[in-house]
């Protein structure tokens, strides 16, 4: 078997597992083990990780975690970044702590790196892998910001019609008619409500993608003396939104060159999961997963 890297967006997966299994329930209704630890998200998260390892057979694996919002480089640049997000529920925080301890115990490599976010860790390692290694790289996340990282070697595993499949460079090109790197410019125009990134007010999906298909990037739009009549209804909005468009482009661009990760040896990401230890820990936590 050749080299294959699996990069997992840790909080993206854990929070999806948590909210899917806690919907409509109060904290006291969530399952706990005999030690009083919440387990609803843990069980689903570990099952998903196991299924991914079985399906993709990675030689290398990393779970990337976000730092606190206030620590991020984007928050330093734009104070309103992610301000619309609620605080994390206590049962989710507790399960994050349990899960990270479990990963340390059983040999799952994980990383947090201030002031960067999980996307930036994934961005740097996926780009390096694409440049340096022969095998494929898979990114596991349903965050569509990460589509900008797709290359001939890098795919993103995302859910579509209740199935999870690797979304490749061909899939992206066929769907959007642009290069993945131009997804940054589409997002700069659109903004992102979940991250509180402004974009250009009034420019939605009907205009953002066609604008980038025609002009290539945000810079080229503003270099035009007069925008194509096809987009005449957006002229004023685009003119007024210049500052926000460039700020948003800066915020949505994932770092692919974090210095400390540029030289880190690939051996450090080798998958060395101790299955016996994992079974012991699952028993201790009173979790049942199909292995």
């Amino acid at each position: 078997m050749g080299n294959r890297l699996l990069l997992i967006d840790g909080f993206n997966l854990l929070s999806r597992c948590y909210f899917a299994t806690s919907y409509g329930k109060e904290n006291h209704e969530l399952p706990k083990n005999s030690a009083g630890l919440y387990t609803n998200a843990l069980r689903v998260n570990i099952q998903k990780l196991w299924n991914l390892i079985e399906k993709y057979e990675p030689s290398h694996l990393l779970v990337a975690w976000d730092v606190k919002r206030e620590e991020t480089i984007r928050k330093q640049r734009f104070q309103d970044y992610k301000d619309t997000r609620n605080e994390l529920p206590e049962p989710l925080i507790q399960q994050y702590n349990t899960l990270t301890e479990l990963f340390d115990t059983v040999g799952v490599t994980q990383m947090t790196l201030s002031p960067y976010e999980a996307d930036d860790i994934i961005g740097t390692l996926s780009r390096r892998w694409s440049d340096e290694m022969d095998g494929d790289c898979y990114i596991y996340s349903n965050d569509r910001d990460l589509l900008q990282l797709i290359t001939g070697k890098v795919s993103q595993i995302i859910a579509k019609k209740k199935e999870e499949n690797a979304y490749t460079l061909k899939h992206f090109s066929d769907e959007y008619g642009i290069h993945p790197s131009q997804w940054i410019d589409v997002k700069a125009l659109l903004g992102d409500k979940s991250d509180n990134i402004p974009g250009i007010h009034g420019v939605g999906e009907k205009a953002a993608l066609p604008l980038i298909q025609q002009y290539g990037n945000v810079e080229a739009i503003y270099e035009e003396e007069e925008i194509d009549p096809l987009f005449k209804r957006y002229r004023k909005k685009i003119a007024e939104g210049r500052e926000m468009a460039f700020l948003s482009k800066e915020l949505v661009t994932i770092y692919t060159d974090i210095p400390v990760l540029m030289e880190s040896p690939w051996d450090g990401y080798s998958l060395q999961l101790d299955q016996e230890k994992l079974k012991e820990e699952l028993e201790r936590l009173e979790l049942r997963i199909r292995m």
Side-chain angles (χ1 to χ4, degrees):
M1 187 186 76
N3 287 318
R4 194 173 291 159
L5 173 63
L6 176 60
L7 296 168
I8 296 174
D9 183 347
F11 269 120
N12 183 276
L13 174 56
L14 181 61
S15 60
R16 282 160 61 201
C17 294
Y18 176 79
F19 289 110
T21 54
S22 65
Y23 182 76
K25 295 177 182 174
E26 298 293 328
N27 286 0
H28 69 270
E29 298 176 284
L30 298 176
K32 291 181 178 179
N33 63 16
S34 58
L37 295 172
Y38 291 102
T39 58
N40 59 304
L42 277 180
R43 182 185 59 78
V44 185
N45 192 295
I46 296 163
Q47 183 70 65
K48 172 53 68 178
L49 177 64
W50 182 259
N51 293 348
L52 287 168
I53 290 170
E54 291 255 285
K55 182 173 181 178
Y56 292 97
E57 300 182 319
S59 57
H60 298 70
L61 182 146
L62 177 77
V63 179
W65 299 102
D66 287 320
V67 291
K68 289 180 180 174
R69 202 175 308 161
E70 293 71 30
E71 291 179 35
T72 67
I73 207 162
R74 291 174 182 84
K75 184 75 170 172
Q76 293 163 21
R77 178 68 182 86
F78 180 56
Q79 273 303 305
D80 294 338
Y81 181 64
K82 290 190 175 179
D83 265 5
T84 48
R85 293 201 181 182
N86 296 325
E87 292 301 310
L88 296 176
E90 181 54 40
L92 175 54
I93 295 169
Q94 185 188 97
Q95 290 177 89
Y96 161 72
N97 291 328
T98 306
L99 188 64
T100 52
E101 287 171 14
L102 172 75
F103 284 170
D104 281 342
T105 303
V106 303
V108 173
T109 307
Q110 53 189 339
M111 182 184 293
T112 307
L113 189 61
S114 185
Y116 300 100
E117 296 176 65
D119 289 3
D120 303 313
I121 296 170
I122 291 169
T124 300
L125 292 177
S126 65
R127 182 58 49 84
R128 265 193 67 200
W129 187 272
S130 192
D131 291 343
E132 297 172 16
M133 304 294 278
D134 290 332
D136 292 323
C137 171
Y138 295 97
I139 296 169
Y140 186 81
S141 177
N142 73 340
D143 182 351
R144 296 182 79 81
D145 288 353
L146 292 161
L147 292 176
Q148 64 186 267
L149 302 174
I150 290 175
T151 69
K153 292 181 186 175
V154 179
S155 305
Q156 184 174 347
I157 303 166
I158 49 178
K160 230 177 184 181
K161 296 178 181 175
K162 296 188 178 179
E163 285 188 2
E164 286 184 339
N165 292 301
Y167 190 80
T168 65
L169 180 58
K170 185 177 188 314
H171 290 133
F172 182 91
S173 301
D174 289 349
E175 184 168 353
Y176 295 108
I178 56 174
H179 189 271
S181 61
Q182 294 172 288
W183 188 244
I184 296 166
D185 296 275
V186 175
K187 295 288 292 185
L189 299 179
L190 279 178
D192 190 327
K193 283 185 181 176
S194 68
D195 288 343
N196 205 30
I197 293 172
I200 298 178
H201 182 68
V203 174
E205 291 182 10
K206 286 183 181 176
L209 180 59
L211 276 162
I212 300 307
Q213 285 171 334
Q214 178 155 339
Y215 291 101
N217 57 42
V218 169
E219 290 78 3
I221 293 170
Y222 286 101
E223 283 165 10
E224 288 292 312
E225 284 187 25
E226 192 162 311
I227 204 159
D228 191 303
L230 187 66
F231 304 106
K232 64 182 179 183
R233 61 177 289 203
Y234 298 103
R235 279 176 185 162
K236 188 178 179 191
K237 290 168 181 168
I238 290 169
E240 291 173 348
R242 180 186 179 110
E243 186 181 346
M244 287 297 105
F246 283 102
L247 171 65
S248 298
K249 181 166 181 175
E250 191 180 330
L251 294 171
V252 300
T253 300
I254 293 172
Y255 288 84
T256 58
D257 56 357
I258 299 174
V260 72
L261 295 183
M262 293 304 287
E263 302 297 330
S264 57
W266 288 116
D267 286 356
Y269 307 103
S270 293
L271 177 57
Q272 296 177 344
L273 180 65
D274 186 331
Q275 290 190 33
E276 287 308 309
K277 196 73 179 167
L278 177 59
K279 286 175 184 174
E280 286 174 22
E281 287 298 302
L282 292 174
E283 199 170 313
R284 182 181 68 81
L285 292 166
E286 299 161 25
L287 295 171
R288 284 188 182 181
I289 75 159
R290 296 183 300 276
M291 293 178 73

